[in-house]
Every structure is written in structure tokens, then in C-alpha cells.
Amino acid sequence: MPKSQKLEETLSILAQIRQHPTSEERIIILRQGLKSKYSIAVAQAAKIVGESTITELVADLVEAFARMMVKPAQVDQNCLAKKEIAQTLYHLEYSDENLFLEGIRHVQMEPVWGGLEDTAAHLRGICALGLVRMNYLDDNERISRSTN
């Protein structure tokens, strides 16, 4: 099956389950979506997880995020999946700062007419909000506060 047909089929299935995604069968479909090689499908699955507040898929979201960070400009152009995963994890009140720290430091330069452009600014903003929400203090801030 050609790439575009496979992607269209995956997106169509995700769109069909969007209204009622919490059955066991549909959770399996969302898991498969998060494991997709197509970043747009990963982003769509993450968005559905967030809209429906499906906390049992947090580990799958974290795994997908890590996968999208390997050769990021190739596997996740414009940070589509990473942004949606970070947004969903923020919505689900995910509290492991490591993912948000990785996201806040991520720069993704992609070719545009006339040069390169960083497509990760929105991702960094979402991750910053995640760190603020959990009252994250870096090691320097912790040392400073403990000595005062």
C-alpha cells in the first residue's frame, strides 16, 4: 500500500474513534496511533488522548515523545507530534520534569526558503508551562533557596 494511502487510512480510523475513544478496542487503536511512523498520526492520537483525558496512555505518550526526538527533523517535521504530546501531557498533569526539560531545550532547525528556521518554539513554550505547573526548580535555584 502506498505511503499516502496508509497514512490516510490511519487518520481516518483515528477520526472515527474520536467521539468515544475509551473502549478497550479503541485504546488499542490509540496505542497503535502513538506508535505510528507518521508524525501526523502520532499527533492526532495524542490529541484524542488529551481531549478524552486517557491517563492510562501516559507511558505510550512518553515513549512516542522519545522516539520523535531521534532524528527529529526527519521523523517529526515542524514538531507536530512532539508539540501535541507535550500539550497532552501538560493537560494530564504529567509530573516528570525530564520530558519537559528535554522539550524546553530542544531546537529543531528545518529548511525554509532562504535558510533555516527553528520549528520548536511552541514546543519549548508548552514544556516551560509544564515545568511552571510543577513548580520545578533547577539545581542552582534549589541551592540558592536552601542557603538563604
Side-chain angles (χ1 to χ4, degrees):
M1 184 179 295
K3 178 180 177 179
S4 63
Q5 284 182 325
K6 183 72 172 157
L7 175 58
E8 287 175 21
E9 180 183 316
T10 301
L11 293 175
S12 175
I13 291 168
L14 288 169
Q16 290 172 16
I17 69 164
R18 182 173 224 132
Q19 293 302 316
H20 304 286
T22 56
S23 73
E24 187 174 320
E25 173 184 297
R26 292 176 177 201
I27 295 290
I28 291 168
I29 292 170
L30 286 171
R31 258 196 188 103
Q32 291 169 341
L34 291 171
K35 291 179 183 189
S36 175
K37 65 181 179 178
Y38 305 112
S39 66
I40 193 166
V42 174
Q44 192 66 269
K47 186 172 188 135
I48 295 168
V49 170
E51 290 170 348
S52 301
T53 315
I54 305 172
T55 57
E56 68 187 88
L57 293 177
V58 166
D60 299 272
L61 289 162
V62 171
E63 181 182 307
F65 187 88
R67 201 174 73 252
M68 294 292 130
M69 291 299 273
V70 177
K71 297 184 181 179
Q74 295 169 348
V75 299
D76 186 25
Q77 291 179 348
N78 296 312
C79 291
L80 293 175
K82 290 186 292 291
K83 286 186 286 193
E84 200 60 56
I85 291 167
Q87 184 68 46
T88 296
L89 289 170
Y90 174 80
H91 172 74
L92 297 176
E93 298 183 4
Y94 182 68
S95 62
D96 182 351
E97 72 271 1
N98 292 320
L99 182 137
F100 292 124
L101 286 170
E102 187 174 8
I104 202 169
R105 294 178 182 129
H106 184 64
V107 174
Q108 186 165 316
M109 302 305 288
E110 294 188 28
V112 294
W113 189 80
L116 295 173
E117 181 178 278
D118 179 12
T119 61
H122 189 214
L123 171 66
R124 289 192 298 272
I126 295 165
C127 290
L129 289 172
L131 292 168
V132 168
R133 190 200 67 238
M134 67 177 72
N135 295 316
Y136 174 77
L137 298 175
D138 69 9
D139 291 336
N140 293 329
E141 185 67 23
R142 287 185 186 128
I143 292 168
S144 169
R145 286 191 180 193
S146 67
T147 58
N148 290 335

